Structure formats: structure tokens, C-alpha cells
Amino acid sequence: MIYLDNQATTPLDPCALEAMMPLWGAHYANAGSVTHQAGRDVAQMVDSAIAEIARSMGAAEDELVITSGATESNNLALMGVMHHPRQRRRKVVSLVTEHKAVLGPLERLRQQGFDVQLLPVQKQDSQLPGVVNWERLAQMVDDQTALVSIMLANNEIGSLQPVAQIAAICRQAGCYLHTDASQALGRLPVDVDELDVDLLSFSAHKFYGPKGVGGLYVRRRERAVRLQGQIVGGGQQHNLRSGTLNTAGIIGMQVALSNTLATMDQDQIRIGDLREQLYRRLREIPELVLNGPPLRPEVRLGGNLNCSFYPLEGQSLMLLMPDLAVSSGSACTSADPEPSHVLQAIGLTEDQARSSLRFGIGRFNTTQEIDQAADWLINAANKLRSF
Ligand SMILES: Cc1ncc(COP(=O)(O)O)c(C=O)c1O
């Protein structure tokens, strides 16, 4: 099998796996059990891992809430800000192209009576497809806005949003800025002060860490975020997220992140070259159209390629390539037969969206794999065309 679905998830870094094993073995104690040495030992391991994760994004250790992943982090950020008892503003501004892990909680907030505004993005025929419509954003964010939530990098078409510039608009309006950085952390430099964000979601399995663990950065310095915990119980993590910590997950997340960041710059150049190689080969397919921004690292997530093969159907192409793992639309919504909401937002028709495939190249892919994948795709397209 050739795995080109690194936007859905990444393979586990073997070093992260090794680092997690003792937490399931000898170091099984609860990090909250500070009444005995076994618990204190684990607490110390976990605390220093969290401090290291925080440091790597320019945050302080008491500014991270450990969660089960980006879906939970997004829920905590959005619900937590809007449900805070001292929150008087009622408006949340976001994008139509956000992940369902943002759109779902926003829909819930809308049902609860909040004013949820989803902004359109630039279309496929513009210079930067998928990027926020700047004028609409500036018009929409005002003194009634409590929160703006805009993802750093899109999981389907890789569009990068100008988050630091969006932050300036938020500062002027006196509202918080949340960004879902699930796809960005480990692929792009992420620093909470440079981005000037108040809340930032991330998930370990997007950077070669384990599944089921992630975090939310919550600004405490200067303009501290007023956030209401959504999972209540034993009061862990400053009451922002009760529940016994996923100790092995936290250690695995830290090791995976440190390793990813250590070689990120070289890896991203290599991954960019692999994407170029794949795209060059696929251009032999006459139907091929690039979806999303140009393949340049400053405007598009490295490793992400999304193409339409219209009128050839994406699902049919996939059926002809059983050993190639790619995705049609977003893997997180693959149970959902609807064509991608992101592709439709940049102006593709339903049929064009259904004819699209997403390729996600990662650190463990090789040039041989890219060549093989291209051969399979070209053959599949030829076969389908002749039916
Ligand atoms: C942009 C984005 N946000 C959120 C998520 C959900 O993350 P998790 O699987 O950690 O809940 C994903 C995963 O596909 C994603 O790509």
C-alpha cells in the first residue's frame, strides 16, 4: 500500500511509540496522584512534556489544555468562549471552509441563539483560492463580535490564511481570535505570539503522534481568555478540562512534535519536491485541474495536492487503485456522501467536487512511491475514459 493521505492522519513516529510504552507499563500511575512517589514521577514526566510542547509554539506551560484532539479543542474554544458567564457579545465569525470540527460546534451555537456568521472565501479563478474574503471580514468583525475562528491551513486544499493580519482586525474590535492549527503544526512555523492568536487547536496524529490526544492553547498573558470548561468533573487542568490525563498520549505527542520540528525545514523542502513530482506526472492526464492555491509554500500547505479529474469520478478512480490510499474530499467526513463543502465553496460544481481527489504527502513517502502512484493514476484514468 502507498499511503498518500497524510492530511487525514500520519503514521506514528516509531520514537513516539517507544517513548509511550513505559507509561502503559511501569509508569502506570495517575499523574494526578501526587500523594505517592509513583504518581509524582509520572506527573513530572507529563509536566515537562507539556512544557516542551508549549515552548515549541511560544506558549507558557500553563497556557495549554490537553484534550483528546482537535475536535475537542475546537469545541472547548468555541463553546468555552461563548458560554462564559461574563461574555456579553453574541457574535462569532468564521469561514464556510472550516473543518466540520469547527462547523459542528458553530451550528450548535447557532441553535442556542448565538449570531454565527460564516464568511465566503476567494474562488478558484482568483489568485488565492480558499483565502478569506478580506473586505467581508473587516465589515463583519465589530464590537458585537466575541470571537473569530479561522483555520491556519485548510485540510482539503491547503490554503493558508493570513492569521496574523486577521489578528489585527480582532484587536481593533476587542474580540478573541481562535485558529485551528491542526494541519499547520509540524508543517509550518507556529508561534502564538507571532500569529497573535488567543486560542489555537492542535492534534498529535497530524504530526506523527498518537491518535486521541491534542491540545488547546489558551492565552493567559496580557489579554487572558475567559473560557468556560466543557468537561466538568475532578477539576483537572485549571477546571478547563476534567479527567485523568492521557499520560502515554502526552509523552508520545511531545516526542513526535520535537522530532517533527527538528527536521521540519528540510522535510518540507523534500515533501514540496515530491508534490511537484506527482503534479508533473499527473499533468499527463488531460482532464486534470488543480483545486486550490498554486503549489507554492507561502500560499499552500506543503504536501497537499487536490485535483479534479472531471468528468472522471473520484470514487471510480479510487476503486481502480486499491493499493493507493488517497481521499475524496475530507476523510473525517468520508461517512458523509455529500461532495466536499470546501471545493464547492471555491466554486466547483457538485460533479467537479465528486471528481476530485486529495493527496497528502508526508515525511515517510519516497520518490519511488510517488512514481508508482502516478503510474496507477494515469492507468486508472485511461481505463475509466475507455469505459
Ligand atoms: C483542520 C482540522 N481540524 C480538526 C480535525 C479533527 O482533529 P481530531 O481528529 O484530532 O479530532 C482535523 C482532522 O482531520 C483537521 O484536519
Side-chain angles (χ1 to χ4, degrees), residues 7-8 69-71 74 99 101 151 153 155 180 182-183 203 205-206 332:
Q7 254 76 78
T71 302
N74 290 343
H99 192 274
M151 70 202 319
N155 51 301
D180 178 348
S182 304
Q183 295 291 338
S203 185
H205 73 98
K206 306 290 185 184
C332 302

Side-chain angles (χ1 to χ4, degrees), residues 7-9 68-74 98-102 151 153-156 180-183 201-206 211-214 330-332 358:
Q7 254 76 78
T9 194
S68 62
T71 302
E72 186 190 329
S73 300
N74 290 343
E98 291 293 315
H99 192 274
K100 293 279 162 89
V102 163
M151 70 202 319
N154 186 274
N155 51 301
E156 294 196 43
D180 178 348
S182 304
Q183 295 291 338
S201 303
F202 57 94
S203 185
H205 73 98
K206 306 290 185 184
K211 291 166 185 60
V213 66
S330 162
C332 302
R358 177 187 70 177

Side-chain angles (χ1 to χ4, degrees), residues 13-299:
D13 177 344
C15 299
L17 176 61
E18 201 180 316
M20 285 191 282
M21 300 301 273
L23 282 299
W24 286 310
H27 293 296
Y28 55 80
N30 190 325
S33 300
V34 288
T35 50
H36 49 72
Q37 192 57 41
R40 287 192 293 271
D41 286 346
V42 174
Q44 205 219 328
M45 293 162 82
V46 164
D47 287 349
S48 59
I50 295 174
E52 179 58 28
I53 297 168
R55 197 195 53 73
S56 69
M57 57 182 83
E61 62 191 289
D62 65 347
E63 292 182 306
L64 287 194
V65 181
I66 301 302
T67 65
S68 62
T71 302
E72 186 190 329
S73 300
N74 290 343
N75 273 265
L76 175 58
L78 300 167
M79 304 279 189
V81 165
M82 299 314 289
H83 288 167
H84 192 278
R86 289 172 66 192
Q87 182 56 259
R88 296 281 170 263
R89 300 182 179 196
R90 305 289 292 171
K91 197 201 284 189
V92 199
V93 176
S94 188
L95 294 185
V96 286
T97 48
E98 291 293 315
H99 192 274
K100 293 279 162 89
V102 163
L103 296 177
L106 288 179
E107 182 50 33
R108 178 72 61 85
L109 286 168
R110 191 198 301 278
Q111 287 162 8
Q112 292 168 349
F114 290 96
D115 177 10
V116 176
Q117 298 289 340
L118 296 182
L119 298 173
V121 293
Q122 298 180 36
K123 302 285 183 225
Q124 183 62 48
D125 57 6
S126 73
Q127 280 193 340
L128 291 176
V131 170
V132 60
N133 182 315
W134 203 246
E135 278 163 31
R136 293 288 296 277
L137 179 76
Q139 277 166 5
M140 192 54 81
V141 178
D142 57 18
D143 62 3
Q144 287 312 301
T145 310
L147 177 66
V148 173
S149 178
I150 293 190
M151 70 202 319
L152 201 45
N154 186 274
N155 51 301
E156 294 196 43
I157 54 173
S159 313
L160 304 182
Q161 301 292 346
V163 169
Q165 285 155 267
I166 295 168
I169 294 182
C170 295
R171 297 291 83 88
Q172 234 175 358
C175 68
Y176 297 131
L177 175 59
H178 165 249
T179 191
D180 178 348
S182 304
Q183 295 291 338
L185 188 61
R187 297 188 173 111
L188 312 168
V190 170
D191 181 289
V192 293
D193 284 339
E194 273 168 31
L195 293 170
D196 202 13
V197 291
D198 301 293
L199 299 136
L200 180 145
S201 303
F202 57 94
S203 185
H205 73 98
K206 306 290 185 184
F207 49 79
Y208 310 93
K211 291 166 185 60
V213 66
L216 179 69
Y217 160 76
V218 184
R219 186 171 288 276
R220 280 177 173 259
R221 294 159 292 159
E222 296 139 45
R223 39 171 209 271
V225 177
R226 288 187 187 139
L227 196 71
Q228 187 185 62
Q230 300 298 300
I231 298 181
V232 285
Q236 289 93 339
Q237 305 200 70
H238 309 288
N239 252 327
L240 287 177
R241 203 273 194 177
S242 286
T244 299
L245 287 175
N246 175 355
T247 54
I250 293 165
I251 301 297
M253 172 157 68
Q254 183 265 310
V255 171
L257 184 59
S258 294
N259 280 353
T260 301
L261 295 178
T263 56
M264 184 174 83
D265 293 348
Q266 303 96 286
D267 287 339
Q268 286 305 310
I269 292 171
R270 204 179 64 82
I271 288 168
D273 291 344
L274 292 178
R275 175 174 67 180
E276 200 52 53
Q277 181 193 346
L278 180 61
Y279 185 55
R280 213 175 25 242
R281 290 281 326 273
L282 294 188
R283 279 176 24 208
E284 287 177 35
I285 301 173
E287 293 86 355
L288 182 108
V289 177
L290 176 67
N291 296 329
L295 303 185
R296 293 201 313 268
E298 63 283 10
V299 293

